[in-house]
Amino acid sequence: MAQPSSIVVLLLLLALGFALLRKRKSSIAALVLAVLVHGLVGYTTLGYVIIQPLEDRFSVPATPPQAVNAIIMLGGATLARPSSARQIAELNDAGDRLTTTLWLANAYPTAKIVVSGGSGVLDDEGESEAETAKRFFSMHGISEDRFILEGESRNTDENVAFTESLLGDLANGNVILVTSAFHMPRSVGIFSKAGLRVIPWPTDYRTPGPQGLWFDIANPVQNLNVTTVAIKEWIGLAVYYWTGKTTTFLPQQ
């Protein structure tokens, strides 16, 4: 319900309700607010401004480790229904998580590939994202004996909880964590709370760097998507901190 598009719809419904009750001023106010919210998230760089601090919180290691025991990739990078129905690996906007993990898998040929991600659909039909990712990596020549699949998790907290039990002695060495740059602070915070030290390897950047707030009419759909992702992640950080899943609100490197 905190998504900008949902807020706009609620405001439009509120305006309709006021109109039916013949409260003209309140109806106009709700309509104006709906237009302002839509204009702000769709036709400005607001989303990039609020997601940029998250993306800059962690960076790719300047000096990569010489040896790596495991590479953990968090789910959220594939489209569940087409991937399952067509037995392919259809990537979404976060597909860089898969391609970055593939690059790392080739750079560290002895490292285990830990994929954490359950089904991405509400009706729980089809395969887990871990299975989809396994198909992707197998198609690109990664041996199946390197896979450790966790296909039950539905959120970041479960990603960590379910992955922890699968790592075993692998956690005693270098473990790389791959996820979207904006998602890395919350992910590292949960791993740290669980007592697992990981090497952050952010990917899937949405911003080119420092951003200022200005009009951007070129791609309103993309602007809306980035704003939605940013709001979701900031809410996630707050909720995880308030519920004790992380020890700091905004973990850092």
Side-chain angles (χ1 to χ4, degrees), residues 17 23 34 89 93 109 139 172 210 212 214:
K23 295 184 177 181
D93 290 347
M139 291 168 57
N172 296 328
W214 57 75

Side-chain angles (χ1 to χ4, degrees), residues 22-220:
R22 300 183 181 279
K23 295 184 177 181
R24 184 171 178 273
K25 291 184 178 179
S26 297
S27 179
I28 292 174
L31 282 173
V32 170
L33 190 56
V35 171
L36 289 175
V37 171
H38 180 68
L40 186 63
V41 301
Y43 296 95
T44 73
T45 59
L46 174 66
Y48 301 93
V49 170
I50 61 178
I51 205 173
Q52 185 258 328
L54 298 175
E55 292 196 332
D56 288 350
R57 203 68 175 171
F58 291 87
S59 57
V60 173
T63 305
Q66 294 296 315
V68 171
N69 281 12
I71 303 164
I72 301 174
M73 188 201 83
L74 301 187
T78 64
L79 298 174
R81 288 190 174 91
S83 295
S84 182
R86 299 179 182 274
Q87 290 297 286
I88 57 176
E90 191 65 35
L91 309 189
N92 60 23
D93 290 347
D96 284 359
R97 299 188 192 187
L98 281 164
T99 57
T100 298
T101 302
L102 176 62
W103 181 84
L104 287 167
N106 288 318
Y108 299 101
T110 62
K112 293 290 187 180
I113 312 301
V114 184
V115 183
S116 179
S119 175
V121 293
L122 294 178
D123 54 19
D124 204 27
E125 293 181 355
E127 65 189 15
S128 67
E129 184 167 8
E131 288 292 335
T132 303
K134 175 185 175 183
R135 184 184 305 116
F136 174 86
F137 293 128
S138 296
M139 291 168 57
H140 289 84
I142 303 301
S143 175
E144 291 197 9
D145 61 4
R146 297 180 62 188
F147 298 134
I148 298 177
L149 305 181
E150 183 286 295
E152 300 298 325
S153 58
R154 294 300 190 95
N155 54 52
T156 309
D157 185 39
E158 291 183 353
N159 283 149
V160 177
F162 298 163
T163 299
E164 182 182 9
S165 62
L166 296 175
L167 283 175
D169 292 338
L170 294 173
N172 296 328
N174 289 326
V175 177
I176 290 178
L177 175 64
V178 178
T179 191
S180 299
F182 64 81
H183 186 236
M184 189 62 77
R186 183 155 56 108
S187 302
V188 170
I190 302 172
F191 272 102
S192 296
K193 183 65 182 292
L196 294 174
R197 181 182 175 277
V198 293
I199 301 172
W201 204 291
T203 188
D204 177 35
Y205 287 89
R206 308 299 171 95
T207 66
Q211 297 289 299
L213 183 62
W214 57 75
F215 289 104
D216 181 10
I217 63 174
N219 197 333

Side-chain angles (χ1 to χ4, degrees), residues 1-11 33-34 37-42 46-47 50 223-232 235:
M1 296 305 295
Q3 295 184 53
S5 56
S6 297
I7 293 173
V8 170
V9 170
L10 289 174
L11 287 170
L33 190 56
V37 171
H38 180 68
L40 186 63
V41 301
L46 174 66
I50 61 178
N223 294 343
L224 174 61
N225 179 59
V226 172
T227 306
T228 300
V229 170
I231 291 174
K232 173 182 179 293
I235 291 175

